[in-house]
DNA sequence: CGGTTTTGACCCGCGC
DNA sequence: GCGCGGGTCAAAACCG
């Protein structure tokens, strides 16, 4: 696992926009059963856009997860007061064996972002430098207008989407707690997949970050999370105190993933380009969640195969990448 | 009671 | 132009 492959696409960070895709394997965490894994979630926040600077890179390493439990339900941090997860996504897989402690979790699941529909994703990705923030908000408004009233007016402009990136997590829990608070606003059946895709939006005012979560149809234990947009606020201010994050003095928190054994992340990809290289890494630093950055990523064949999944995965994983994955097999 | 989830309907983009 | 699939809205239900 020492490899990290992916490419960066997050314009926000990497202005280059080289799209790419990659998978990170966080298998390092395996074994959570023991409770030792480092959490892979540290970086969620980063992902979300919050600080790139602030999270200490070493958090990951230094971060010692409390004895995590095995895949916990999304919630869980034992330490923080978390609330119970209200919902359990129906997916079979998700029936998590509640092994986890059910601690609680907040309604904030978490995970990351990703790429969304292929087309859109592609578009986005190709736009290296965009001001995502503004657009984001506008976008939202636009959308709202579209739906509510009439159509947007900007027809020429294709809907631009925020930068997004996706990653796969091996977890029994669909909804991973990344420290932010999310509200589910939709769920849709995914074609070719027995598992539904859930849509979440950050509940912070003014923050238009969205997240999509779906389970791989090939491997029910794999959860694909795609984040879109960047948080406009710092950490979740959760009155409920549910996030599983540890607050850092600086104000950043470290989410604790209590759910995973093993995680594989896919960094957003652009359909057209896939950069799996150190370069990507570089950019990643800036935008990627620290946990991801810190961990050793790799693209195990197993993960790769997952990529071949349909639905979101399809979007997320560029064909090229998929191909590669196959080859590896 | 306030916030979240559920879920059917609607809108939009895209391919045929 | 039509159908399909994805994404979002919003009312109702649910939950703490």
């Amino acid at each position: 696992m020492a490899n990290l492959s992916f490419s960066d696409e997050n314009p926000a960070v990497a202005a280059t926009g080289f799209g790419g895709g990659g998978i990170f394997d966080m298998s390092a965490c395996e074994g959570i059963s023991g409770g030792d894994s480092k959490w892979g979630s540290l970086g969620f926040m980063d992902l979300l856009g919050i600080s790139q600077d602030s999270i200490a890179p070493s958090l990951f390493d230094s971060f010692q997860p409390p004895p995590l439990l095995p895949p916990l339900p999304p919630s869980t941090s034992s330490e923080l007061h978390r609330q119970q997860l209200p919902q359990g996504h129906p997916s079979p897989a998700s029936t998590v064996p509640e092994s986890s402690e059910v601690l609680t979790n907040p309604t904030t699941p978490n995970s990351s972002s990703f790429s969304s529909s292929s087309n859109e994703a592609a578009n986005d990705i190709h736009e290296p430098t965009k001001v995502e923030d503004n657009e984001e908000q506008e976008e939202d408004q636009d959308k709202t207008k579209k739906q509510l009233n009439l159509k947007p007016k900007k027809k020429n402009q294709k809907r631009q989407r925020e930068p997004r990136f996706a990653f796969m997590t091996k977890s029994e829990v669909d909804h991973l707690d990344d420290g932010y608070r999310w509200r589910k606003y939709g769920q849709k059946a995914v074609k070719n997949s027995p598992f539904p895709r859930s849509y979440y939006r950050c509940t912070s005012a003014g923050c238009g970050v969205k997240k999509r979560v779906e389970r791989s149809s090939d491997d029910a234990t794999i959860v694909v999370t795609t984040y879109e947009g960047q948080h406009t606020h710092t950490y979740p201010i959760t009155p409920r105190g549910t996030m599983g994050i540890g607050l850092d003095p600086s104000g950043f928190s470290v989410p604790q993933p209590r759910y995973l054994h093993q995680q594989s992340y896919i960094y957003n990809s652009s359909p057209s380009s896939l950069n799996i290289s150190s370069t990507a890494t570089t950019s990643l630093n800036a935008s990627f969640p620290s946990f991801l950055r810190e961990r050793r990523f790799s693209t195990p064949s197993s993960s790769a195969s997952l990529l071949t999944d349909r639905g979101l995965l399809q979007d997320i994983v560029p064909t090229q990448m998929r191909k590669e994955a196959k080859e590896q097999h």
Side-chain angles (χ1 to χ4, degrees), chain A residues 39 41-42 45 63 74-82 104-106 108 177-180 235-236 238 241-247 253-258:
Chain A
W39 314 65
S41 42
L42 289 184
M45 323 254 156
F63 186 64
S75 29
T76 34
S77 58
S78 19
E79 328 176 344
L80 306 186
H81 1 330
R82 294 173 166 229
T104 48
N105 195 12
T108 20
D177 179 4
D178 57 2
Y180 285 93
Y235 236 178
T238 328
T242 42
M243 13 211 199
I245 33 183
L247 285 181
S253 41
V254 180
Q256 311 177 355
R258 352 175 189 244

Side-chain angles (χ1 to χ4, degrees), chain A residues 266-313:
Chain A
I266 299 177
Y267 187 65
N268 173 9
S269 52
S270 99
S272 51
S273 50
L274 173 60
N275 288 328
I276 298 187
S277 63
S278 52
T279 318
T281 316
T282 307
S283 35
L284 208 100
N285 271 333
S287 54
F288 224 52
S290 51
F291 70 95
L292 290 180
R293 292 187 238 149
E294 294 298 317
R295 278 182 154 245
R296 313 89 171 138
F297 304 105
S298 63
T299 21
S301 49
S302 56
S303 300
S305 61
L306 293 176
L307 294 182
T308 55
D309 195 353
R310 315 178 192 92
L312 231 192
L313 290 181

Side-chain angles (χ1 to χ4, degrees), chain A residues 154-185:
Chain A
K154 308 178 166 188
K155 255 197 165 180
N156 280 338
Q157 305 188 337
K158 271 178 168 184
R159 244 182 173 164
Q160 299 185 348
R161 296 232 159 190
E162 324 270 333
R164 42 187 131 173
F165 68 77
F167 64 84
M168 296 168 32
T169 305
K170 184 153 192 171
S171 167
E172 304 183 357
V173 182
D174 286 0
H175 217 187
L176 306 180
D177 179 4
D178 57 2
Y180 285 93
R181 291 190 58 194
W182 303 91
R183 166 166 16 222
K184 186 175 185 174
Y185 65 89

Side-chain angles (χ1 to χ4, degrees), chain A residues 141-282:
Chain A
Q141 295 184 350
D142 257 288
K143 287 180 186 176
T144 309
K145 288 179 190 172
K146 290 180 189 173
Q147 299 204 330
L148 295 187
N149 297 320
L150 321 186
K151 328 188 133 224
K153 227 201 136 220
K154 308 178 166 188
K155 255 197 165 180
N156 280 338
Q157 305 188 337
K158 271 178 168 184
R159 244 182 173 164
Q160 299 185 348
R161 296 232 159 190
E162 324 270 333
R164 42 187 131 173
F165 68 77
F167 64 84
M168 296 168 32
T169 305
K170 184 153 192 171
S171 167
E172 304 183 357
V173 182
D174 286 0
H175 217 187
L176 306 180
D177 179 4
D178 57 2
Y180 285 93
R181 291 190 58 194
W182 303 91
R183 166 166 16 222
K184 186 175 185 174
Y185 65 89
Q187 179 171 304
K188 273 275 216 173
V190 178
K191 200 176 179 194
N192 295 320
S193 173
F195 309 107
R197 177 180 302 156
S198 297
Y199 298 89
Y200 298 89
R201 184 170 302 165
C202 180
T203 59
S204 292
C207 181
V209 178
K210 289 178 212 162
K211 172 167 101 168
R212 238 172 292 174
V213 178
E214 76 175 75
R215 226 165 243 288
S216 165
S217 60
D218 288 346
D219 184 340
T221 63
I222 303 291
V223 176
V224 180
T225 305
T226 307
Y227 282 95
E228 181 175 335
Q230 295 197 314
H231 289 279
T232 58
H233 51 98
T234 50
Y235 236 178
I237 326 163
T238 328
R240 300 173 164 209
T242 42
M243 13 211 199
I245 33 183
L247 285 181
D248 173 296
S250 56
F252 289 96
S253 41
V254 180
Q256 311 177 355
R258 352 175 189 244
Y259 34 98
L260 23 60
H261 292 292
Q262 210 180 30
Q263 299 187 327
S264 297
Y265 298 88
I266 299 177
Y267 187 65
N268 173 9
S269 52
S270 99
S272 51
S273 50
L274 173 60
N275 288 328
I276 298 187
S277 63
S278 52
T279 318
T281 316
T282 307

